[in-house]
Every structure is written in structure tokens, then in C-alpha cells.
Amino acid sequence: TTTSGPTPSRSTSTTPVTETPVHETTTSRSPSPPTALPTTTSSPGTTTTSGPSSPSGTPPSISTTPFTGTASTTKTTTSSPTPSVSTPPTSTVGTEISTPRTTSATVTTPTTPPTSTSPVSTTTSGTTPTESFTTTSGTTSSSFITVNATTISTTFKTLPPGSTTTSGPTATSTAVTTTGSESWWLCNCTKVICIEDNIVQVIPVICNPPPKPTCANGLSPVPVIDEDGCCWHWECDCYCTGWGDPHYMTFDGLYYSYQGNCTYVLVEEINKKVDNFGVYIDNYHCDTRDVVSCPRTLIVRHETQEVRLRTAQPNTLQVEVTVNNQLVALPYKKFGVSIYESGINRVVEIPELKMNVTYNGLSFSIRMPYSLFGNNTQGQCGTCNNNTADDCMLPNGNIAENCETMADHWQVVDPSKPQCSPGLVPTGSPSTTPTQPCKESSICELLLGSVFKPCHAFVQPEKYYAACVFDSCVLPNLDLECSSLQIYAATCADQGMCIDWRNHTNGVCSHECPSGKEYRACGPIKEMTCKSRGQNYTSTKQVEGCFCPNGTMLYDSGVDVCVKTCGCVGVDMIPREFGEKFTVDCQDCVCLEGEHGIVCGPHVCEQKKVTCDGEGLYEVTEVNPKDSCCPLFTCKCNTSLCTAKAPKCSLGFEVHSYIPSGQCCPVFQCVPKGVCVHENAEFLPNSSVFVDKCQNCFCTNDVNVSTQLNIISCERVPCNTYCQPGYELKPVKGECCGKCVQTKCIIHTADNSELVLSPGDFKNDPRNNCTIYSCVDVHNQLIASTSEITCPPFNEESCKPGTISFLPNGCCRTCAPLDSRTPCSVRHRQDFIVYKGCRSVDRVDLTECEGTCGTFSLYSAEANSMDHSCSCCRETSTTEKYVVLKCPGGHSVSHKYVYVESCSCQDTACKRPQSNELQNSEENDKASTLNRIKRAISLTSK
């Protein structure tokens, strides 16, 4: 059997066993490997048989009795890509011993086991120096214990035989019989082989530490347990990283930069063994010049699932995770894919393939086991074979001159990027060399300085420094140089050297943590939680990120809440203690210790329903500040729904509105302002009010009950109000005070007394009826007159008896002459009434005045003119009567006529003929005045 890989020296001792007195023989084992990792599975090409795994450690002692005989050994030839190693041969001497129970065994041991060594030359290219490798072969010492199975069947428990095939660069402990009999493992790396005739061989395996190889990517190799579980060997893991704008480090450690803005293959299998497996990257131009690109999305495909790790905000550590285009919450585990947070990273882990992919928005890393993916990877991460010479391999298997050219050829179809298409001839990448000499950022110097010096022995910083300088010169404003320091620190932490570096960047590369978390440069890969604190997690690797402060721990991997005591955390993300009662999502809950944790029941609300019936009111639901789960039903007012309009109030009044209790719409009314109103103006109380210049007025606080306005109080300007008799106080236009104006005539009588007469008045002298005083107003001038009546001669003998009487003036006597006609009286006559052709049917009693009245003409000394007195017989009272008239057309009409009831002598104007009919106004006035005097005399005489 031939195996390849760095093989440790192994020795296997066999000792014959009998039932005679026991002698102890102890087999030795190599120490456990530095790190317990899973046993690698097979690679194509070679086959090695092995048994079931056994726990690491020193196997137990085996009691045997020496005997003489012959034993056979197996030879194992190993080859390894490491410096040559020789394994000296070992031998076991057997003796044959007779026992009382006649049990015998034969062991044959060769004195000189064959050992062969053949050198193999391998040439590397790229950044890895050329090394010479040799194939090392040696022997595995074994002591075969041949036992009669029928004799010691109670000593060993035979196990069913089993075998496993392995291949690749691995050292495998092997025990094979030369006779081809069945074999199986007991325990503690002890194998049993059935020889023949119930004879078995017991073969303990002893492991020695293998030599440590050098990995082409400059990272430390990892120890891997052999499939048989007894020994271990070294492997160089496939570890690819990318960061910045972007820079790549292939699986074998070849560094290059590439600025494509399409979607590319990072890793795919050459020979497809895993269904729909691959890792891809979506790049985009992250500067305004479209010169350089940055990673935007990392895509991991495995069987039926496609995981996308997408940068939520450019140049940040905010990453969102989708599975089959659906957002998922972390941690996520389904169909053999596990996704979780580890510090600042999002990690996609496929346990079946023993691989993981990390991404934080600025950088990514891909780790895969060599045993499963060695010599079977292609893409921008290169081929994983510990040789940089073929890392720039194209999809057709050819090797490109440089990896920048190679990277263009690994485009994949992306519907969101129609400008990208696999198979197109790639265009030349634009130059990213700065036109002006560039001084790199001082942050880049940290990579070569004392901050990262502890890691220089584990990871060389030069390539990361070159990437940092490139980013700081090409994109000086994006702080992308931080990604070079971050990926270098992450690679150092992966190699067991944690560096706290962000505090040395003067805040340029600081990382802010959310409330309740604190930043640590060296935190656990998986933070302890309340659910996992009982588990024994032994990983010593560290990552940077935001972690719970000391004295607290994460409640659960999917519940990002730090708690001091592990109670409960509900959907409100608030930690609760056991027994605590609270309300969340409108349910009354309690935190209980046990599997179910939070137990909730419906929240009960107690509230009366409201009715909104008034005008303008409508019902609304509001949040209750005291209990957000129980809404408040209230009536809200919308005044736009009100129909009442504000009235227009008169002067001195204003609109006043109020809303009655429980109503929405206002009630309007005009209320007094408490002012005075005068001539369309308002006056406040105690203010002056101008009415006129003859009054001093002001607005009072008193209110007129009827008008509801304040009362204006006025005081006139003081004036003299006394006037002499015959004079009256009359207002004068434009003056405040009036003046005394004569309004009556003042007449001095014969006895020196004063007689006051109003215009138009007349009065007889109390002692003499023949003297008459009168007052007339001629053109606003009062004229007082005294009239003396001169009686005509009177002869009683010429009077009819009994007719002597005084004239109406009361001064002169008169009588009816003997030859006088009938005095003035009513005369009746019967006659037809004819009016407009119509006539009364019968005669009607008609009346009229007829008779004689006195008339005279005499001289007035005072007037110095002739006075005339004329009277006529005239009606003194009449009535209206109606009579029916018959008209020629045959119709009748009612006609009104005047019926005289009484007659008397009445004064009338006496006129004398004048040649000139026109008289001046003064004469007319005098005539009028005289007529009034005459009438007065006449009335007095009656």
C-alpha cells in the first residue's frame, strides 16, 4: 500500500500470549496533535486501508507471555511535499515457549526491513521560492501476537471487520496480514488480525510526531487527525482573502489587485463533486472616475441554497444576509448551511465540507480543507495545491501571464449587469497609477511598525502594506486603507496572534458599537450565551467585534441583548428576570424558568364606548398613554362640518362665541363691548365724546337697559337764560348760547300799565271797549297798535223797535232800520238737482243764506286812514246729503250736495276801486293788518 503526505514514524509491537504467568509489555504513542481537527477524507488517486478511529492518548498496557516463533511485518512507502525525512527500521525478536495448556504461537521477525527513499523534484513559480521535495519511505514496526482463538476466546472480544480508503498527502497507520485474513480494531489504536485456525494477531499502533511542513501561502499548517483516529498529520489549508478595491490573496498566497466591476467566480470545483457548489463575488466601481472597484456582494452556493452577503452601505461593516433572495435572521441553519455572526464578520459555514466563508462588507476570506479541495479548485482564488505557479489558471486550463488578466476570464452571467458577459474579450484595465507622486497614508506605516510587529513572524506584512499604499493613493477619501489593516489583523488572529490596532489610527479606522456593546479587538469567535454557557467550546481563535461588557453575556445567538442574569428576552428585546410580569404586544406575560420561558395571555381592556352625535363631532381612536394596548375612543371636533356662521354685529357690539359642554360647534351671539356709540363711532368708558361745542360729553359706565350701550353724559356750556317780558331766549346758529329776542308787543295802556300781546293777538282796553290794542308781525317786525273805534251817529227813532244792539266791536250801537230787509237767515226752496245731465227724480229741499248785514266806512285817527267794515250773510254750518240722480242712459248715480244748516253775518274784505290793480307789498301788508283789526273789532262787538 502506498500513501502520500508527511508521514510520522510508527512502530507496532507484537507479543505472544499464553495463559502462563504474565509479563507486562507497554507500547508507546506520540502525543496528541496540537489542535484536534476532524479527520480528512479521501482524495482521488491512491487507496489505504485503516480501521475505526480510536481516542487519542497513550494506549493501555497489554499483558503478554514471551514465546519463540516467527513474525511478519508490513512495509509502507510515503511521499511528501516536504524536506526529506528518513525513518529508521525497527525489529522485534520472538521466542517460542511451551505452556502447560499447550497453546503455541509462531512469530517471525525480519532482521532487516526494507527501506527505500527516492527524491522527487518540484518547481514553483510566482512569489513562492523554488523548493526541492523528496519522497520519504520507512518501516512501521509491528509485533504480531499469534493466539489460538479457541484457547483465549474469553480474553478478546472480536469486533466485526471494517476498512476505510484514504488517499492524498496523509500518513496512515496500517497493519496488514500477509495471509489476507480478516482484521478489525479493538480499542486504543489496537488492531486484531485473524490468521487461521482461530489464531489472531494483536497489533498496537505507536505514532511519532510528524515533521512540520512549510505552506506556500506563508500560513501555519494545521494538524489533521488520520482516518484511523490514531495518528495525525499536517495540512496546508486552502485560505483565500480579498479586501479593499479589491486586492486578492490566492489559496497559495499569490497577491494581485483587480478592478473589474462584474460578478466573478472566486472558487469552483474543477471536477464537480458537490452539487451546485461555488463562491462568487459581485464588484462595483466605488469611485467617481469608475477606475477602481470594491466588493458589494459575496455569493455562496451549495446544493439548493444561494446565500448572498450584501454590503448594506458602501464602505461600511453593515451586511445583510439573504438565502434564495429572502432576508433571513441570524443565526440561520438549514439544509447543511449554517450562517452566524462572529465579531464584525458574517460567517457562512458548511460543516459537511469543513469550509467557511466570512464577509464584513470590506473584506472576505474563504477557508477550505486541503483534503477535500486540494488540486480541485479554480477561479480568482487560484488552485489550492501549495504551488503559486498555476494560481493564474484560466477556465480552459491554460496559465495566464498574470492574475489580473486571469481574473477577467472568470465572469459569470449576472442579469443586473448586462454589460458583463462570460467569454467576451476583456478590455484593458485603466491605469490606477496616480499621476502625481503620492505619499501614502500614515496608517499604512502601522503595518510595518511596532503595532503589528508581534505578527510579522506569522504573517508577512509586505503585500498588505502595498495594498494599503495603493488604496490611500488611488482613493484617498474613502479610508479604504483601513481594510488592509483589518484583513491583516484578521489573518494574524487566524494564526493565533491578536492585535489591538484601531486605537492607533487616530480615529480614522475606529469602529462604533451599538448601545449596550463594547468593542474588543480580541473577542471569542462564538460569544458565550445563556443557552451555550454549559457547552465546552475550546476554540482559542479570536476575532474583533462588538461584545457584551464584562459582567454580562449575550442572551442568545439570535437575540442580540446583553443580560446580567439569564432570565427571558421577548420580542421587545428587553431582558426580564424570572417571575417578572410585563405587557408586550398587548399581552400580559410572565417570565418563567423552564423551556417555554415567556408565557402570555390576552390583555384585558376596560373602557366605555363613546357616542359622537353632536354636529361636527366624529369618533377617533387614540393611543392610551397609560396603556398603549387599550386605545382611547374619543370624540374629536371638526369645525369645518359646522353650519352656523358668525353674525355681523352692529356698532358697539362684538361677536362672542362659546362651545357648550359636550358640543363641537360654537354658538355665536352679539354682546355689548361696553362702549358708547355716537355718529358711527365707538367710545370707551371715561373717554370724551364730541357732540357739539356747546356741550361737554363723556362716555359713562352706565348702561342703557334697552340699547345695552353705555350712556353718554353731557353738560351744556353755562349761558344767561333770563329775558325781559316780551322777549324769549332763542338759539343762535353757530353759537352755544341763545339771545333774547322780542317775540311779543309791549303796549303801555292809558293807565300806564304794560300789556304784552303776541303777534296776531288783540285786546280791548279793560275800561273802554272802544279802545283796542293789537300786535302784528310785519316782516319779522312787531308792530303794536291802539285802535279807537268811532261810532257812527245813532238815532234810536229810526230803529225798528227791539232791534237796537251793539255792533260786534262792543262799542257802537246799531239797529235794524225801519226800511231794512230781512236779517240774515236760512231760506228753504224745493227744486230738482241736475248734475252732468243726470237729474233727481223728485224735488229736493235746498237751503241758502239770505238777509242784510251791517257795513260801514269810518276814519281811524291812529291809522290816519279810513277804516272799512264789511260783512255778508254766509253759512255758518253745513251738512252733506246724498240724492239719487237718474241719467239719460237709464242708470242711476248717487250725488252729494251741501245742505246749509245755519247762516250769519260774517266779515269780509272791503275793497275800493283803484285805477292801478297792482299794489306794492307794503300796502298789501297794511291791508292785511287792518283786516285783522277789523275782524277783531267785529268779534269783540258780537
Side-chain angles (χ1 to χ4, degrees):
T1 302
T2 303
T3 62
S4 62
T7 306
S9 175
R10 303 165 182 253
S11 63
T12 305
S13 62
T14 59
T15 307
V17 179
T18 63
E19 290 185 352
T20 54
V22 176
H23 301 274
E24 281 194 1
T25 302
T26 303
T27 60
S28 63
R29 290 179 54 86
S30 64
S32 299
T35 305
L37 294 179
T39 304
T40 59
T41 57
S42 62
S43 299
T46 59
T47 301
T48 305
T49 59
S50 65
S53 300
S54 174
S56 60
T58 304
S61 301
I62 301 177
S63 300
T64 59
T65 301
F67 65 96
T68 59
T70 305
S72 64
T73 62
T74 62
K75 181 180 70 174
T76 302
T77 303
T78 63
S79 62
S80 169
T82 57
S84 61
V85 180
S86 298
T87 304
T90 59
S91 62
T92 303
V93 178
T95 58
E96 183 177 348
I97 300 176
S98 298
T99 63
R101 299 184 61 157
T102 66
T103 300
S104 64
T106 303
V107 178
T108 304
T109 303
T111 57
T112 307
T115 300
S116 65
T117 301
S118 60
V120 177
S121 177
T122 303
T123 305
T124 62
S125 64
T127 59
T128 305
T130 303
E131 297 184 7
S132 176
F133 300 98
T134 60
T135 301
T136 303
S137 62
T139 60
T140 301
S141 286
S142 300
S143 296
F144 295 92
I145 306 173
T146 305
V147 184
N148 189 321
T150 58
T151 307
I152 57 172
S153 61
T154 58
T155 303
F156 297 96
K157 180 180 179 181
T158 60
L159 302 177
S163 61
T164 305
T165 61
T166 64
S167 64
T170 176
T172 306
S173 59
T174 308
V176 183
T177 62
T178 57
T179 60
S181 301
E182 292 185 5
S183 63
W184 62 93
W185 292 89
L186 287 179
C187 58
N188 297 330
C189 295
T190 303
K191 191 171 186 178
V192 177
I193 301 174
C194 178
I195 302 300
E196 59 182 351
D197 296 334
N198 293 328
I199 303 295
V200 297
Q201 296 173 342
V202 179
I203 310 174
V205 178
I206 299 174
C207 300
N208 293 321
K212 189 174 184 178
T214 299
C215 296
N217 56 18
L219 304 180
S220 299
V222 295
V224 180
I225 300 294
D226 293 345
E227 286 196 9
D228 58 15
C230 293
C231 300
W232 57 274
H233 61 279
W234 296 104
E235 286 185 359
C236 294
D237 269 353
C238 307
Y239 189 71
C240 175
T241 57
W243 69 95
D245 58 354
H247 311 283
Y248 292 91
M249 195 80 77
T250 65
F251 287 132
D252 295 334
L254 182 61
Y255 167 78
Y256 69 95
S257 297
Y258 177 66
Q259 280 76 40
N261 68 328
C262 296
T263 303
Y264 304 93
V265 176
L266 287 178
V267 183
E268 280 185 350
E269 289 184 301
I270 299 176
N271 299 316
K272 311 299 182 184
K273 297 181 180 180
V274 181
D275 184 28
N276 190 31
F277 170 76
V279 183
Y280 310 87
I281 189 168
D282 169 19
N283 290 340
Y284 74 104
H285 284 315
C286 54
D287 72 326
T288 56
R289 300 167 297 167
D290 291 343
V291 173
V292 297
S293 60
C294 299
R296 177 165 53 194
T297 305
L298 205 67
I299 305 167
V300 181
R301 292 177 182 169
H302 178 251
E303 296 181 348
T304 61
Q305 299 188 94
E306 180 181 274
V307 180
R308 287 180 174 263
L309 309 178
R310 182 179 179 274
T311 305
Q313 295 292 334
N315 197 27
T316 66
L317 299 179
Q318 301 177 22
V319 177
E320 63 181 20
V321 182
T322 62
V323 177
N324 295 337
N325 295 321
Q326 296 294 324
L327 279 173
V328 296
L330 303 186
Y332 170 90
K333 189 173 184 180
K334 190 175 183 181
F335 299 147
V337 175
S338 175
I339 312 172
Y340 57 90
E341 294 185 22
S342 178
I344 63 174
N345 301 311
R346 305 298 185 272
V347 181
V348 180
E349 192 174 81
I350 305 177
E352 178 187 3
L353 304 180
K354 303 171 187 176
M355 68 164 290
N356 63 67
V357 177
T358 66
Y359 184 64
N360 57 32
L362 297 178
S363 62
F364 70 85
S365 67
I366 305 172
R367 178 182 291 276
M368 303 192 304
Y370 180 88
S371 58
L372 295 182
F373 293 95
N375 292 298
N376 196 31
T377 63
Q378 61 182 355
Q380 290 184 339
C381 280
T383 58
C384 179
N385 59 1
N386 212 32
N387 185 358
T388 59
D390 55 0
D391 277 0
C392 302
M393 187 176 70
L394 301 175
N396 59 10
N398 296 330
I399 306 300
E401 294 181 359
N402 55 69
C403 287
E404 288 80 0
T405 302
M406 170 272 292
D408 266 325
H409 290 267
W410 288 106
Q411 294 183 26
V412 297
V413 177
D414 189 342
S416 65
K417 297 182 176 182
Q419 77 278 8
C420 303
S421 178
L424 291 179
V425 178
T427 57
S429 300
S431 174
T432 56
T433 304
T435 57
Q436 300 294 333
C438 168
K439 178 169 176 57
E440 67 274 9
S441 170
S442 60
I443 296 177
C444 300
E445 298 293 337
L446 296 176
L447 289 167
L448 304 178
S450 59
V451 175
F452 285 97
K453 186 175 181 179
C455 182
H456 291 173
F458 299 92
V459 182
Q460 295 298 317
E462 287 76 12
K463 299 171 184 177
Y464 301 92
Y465 175 77
C468 181
V469 172
F470 179 89
D471 291 345
S472 66
C473 290
V474 176
L475 296 174
N477 298 322
L478 293 183
D479 297 333
L480 276 182
E481 57 267 26
C482 296
S483 63
S484 295
L485 277 69
Q486 185 269 321
I487 192 65
Y488 182 70
T491 306
C492 292
D494 182 77
Q495 297 299 301
M497 179 56 63
C498 183
I499 304 295
D500 187 359
W501 59 277
R502 291 189 184 268
N503 291 333
H504 300 275
T505 62
N506 295 324
V508 175
C509 301
S510 62
H511 180 64
E512 299 295 332
C513 289
S515 176
K517 293 290 192 74
E518 63 181 19
Y519 173 79
R520 292 183 201 165
C522 307
I525 290 182
K526 289 189 177 180
E527 191 173 4
M528 180 181 294
T529 68
C530 290
K531 302 295 179 67
S532 67
R533 57 181 173 174
Q535 301 175 5
N536 185 18
Y537 188 71
T538 59
S539 175
T540 59
K541 290 187 177 182
Q542 294 177 310
V543 294
E544 67 169 330
C546 297
F547 300 92
C548 290
N550 292 330
T552 65
M553 70 173 61
L554 197 64
Y555 180 77
D556 197 1
S557 55
V559 182
D560 193 19
V561 177
C562 298
V563 297
K564 293 183 178 179
T565 59
C566 292
C568 307
V569 174
V571 294
D572 57 356
M573 306 301 286
I574 299 176
R576 315 281 183 179
E577 295 184 359
F578 291 126
E580 181 178 351
K581 295 181 180 180
F582 57 97
T583 300
V584 63
D585 287 344
C586 297
Q587 288 188 316
D588 294 329
C589 305
V590 60
C591 174
L592 300 178
E593 187 172 4
E595 180 180 355
H596 295 290
I598 298 176
V599 177
C600 299
H603 185 68
V604 180
C605 297
E606 295 181 0
Q607 184 181 6
K608 294 182 180 179
K609 189 74 174 178
V610 296
T611 303
C612 305
D613 294 334
E615 184 183 22
L617 293 175
Y618 64 97
E619 183 179 312
V620 296
T621 303
E622 295 180 336
V623 176
N624 189 344
K626 296 182 179 179
D627 189 351
S628 60
C629 296
C630 297
L632 291 177
F633 298 98
T634 59
C635 293
K636 285 292 184 181
C637 174
N638 185 357
T639 55
S640 64
L641 302 177
C642 299
T643 57
K645 302 297 181 182
K648 185 176 182 181
C649 297
S650 58
L651 208 61
F653 293 83
E654 63 183 353
V655 176
H656 179 265
S657 65
Y658 69 95
I659 300 176
S661 177
Q663 299 297 319
C664 167
C665 295
V667 176
F668 300 100
Q669 63 181 5
C670 292
V671 297
K673 291 183 179 180
V675 297
C676 299
V677 175
H678 177 69
E679 294 184 351
N680 295 325
E682 296 178 347
F683 299 89
L684 294 174
N686 301 319
S687 62
S688 297
V689 181
F690 180 79
V691 176
D692 57 53
K693 66 180 181 179
C694 298
Q695 297 185 82
N696 294 325
C697 303
F698 67 96
C699 180
T700 68
N701 286 307
D702 299 330
V703 178
N704 188 319
V705 178
S706 61
T707 64
Q708 295 185 317
L709 295 174
N710 288 28
I711 299 173
I712 298 176
S713 176
C714 295
E715 294 181 355
R716 293 192 64 83
V717 176
C719 294
N720 182 21
T721 59
Y722 174 76
C723 290
Q724 293 179 358
Y727 289 83
E728 290 182 6
L729 190 65
K730 296 290 184 180
V732 179
K733 187 176 182 180
E735 298 293 335
C736 294
C737 298
K739 72 184 216 176
C740 293
V741 178
Q742 185 179 359
T743 59
K744 298 179 180 180
C745 295
I746 303 173
I747 302 174
H748 297 277
T749 63
D751 58 358
N752 294 325
S753 62
E754 287 186 351
L755 181 65
V756 180
L757 295 178
S758 297
D761 290 346
F762 59 89
K763 189 174 183 180
N764 294 77
D765 190 298
R767 293 184 175 86
N768 183 8
N769 279 342
C770 291
T771 301
I772 300 174
Y773 303 106
S774 64
C775 180
V776 294
D777 184 357
V778 179
H779 296 302
N780 294 326
Q781 183 178 0
L782 294 177
I783 299 175
S785 64
T786 302
S787 302
E788 295 289 338
I789 300 174
T790 302
C791 297
F794 178 72
N795 186 6
E796 293 183 359
E797 294 179 353
S798 63
C799 297
K800 288 183 178 181
T803 61
I804 298 174
S805 63
F806 283 96
L807 290 173
N809 56 25
C811 175
C812 301
R813 293 184 298 173
T814 187
C815 68
L818 291 175
D819 58 351
S820 65
R821 289 187 273 181
T822 304
C824 179
S825 62
V826 178
R827 185 173 71 86
H828 295 266
R829 64 183 177 88
Q830 300 291 322
D831 200 354
F832 292 98
I833 296 177
V834 179
Y835 180 75
K836 292 185 178 182
C838 299
R839 194 185 76 162
S840 62
V841 179
D842 299 318
R843 291 181 183 273
V844 180
D845 182 22
L846 300 177
T847 57
E848 55 191 21
C849 292
E850 185 178 15
T852 61
C853 295
T855 299
F856 63 87
S857 178
L858 54 85
Y859 173 77
S860 173
E862 184 173 344
N864 194 23
S865 65
M866 291 298 292
D867 286 341
H868 302 277
S869 176
C870 300
S871 67
C872 64
C873 184
R874 299 181 62 179
E875 70 278 4
T876 56
S877 64
T878 62
T879 59
E880 293 180 348
K881 290 189 176 184
Y882 292 87
V883 66
V884 177
L885 303 180
K886 196 72 172 178
C887 298
H891 62 278
S892 300
V893 295
S894 177
H895 177 68
K896 180 175 67 175
Y897 67 97
V898 178
Y899 182 85
V900 178
E901 297 288 346
S902 62
C903 300
S904 66
C905 291
Q906 298 182 24
D907 292 337
T908 185
C910 298
K911 295 183 180 180
R912 62 181 178 179
Q914 295 184 5
S915 60
N916 189 2
E917 295 295 334
L918 297 177
Q919 299 178 357
N920 56 40
S921 60
E922 183 177 357
E923 291 175 348
N924 292 335
D925 291 338
K926 289 181 180 181
S928 177
T929 301
L930 292 175
N931 287 335
R932 287 195 292 271
I933 295 173
K934 291 177 182 178
R935 184 182 178 193
I937 296 172
S938 175
L939 291 174
T940 305
S941 64
K942 287 182 179 179

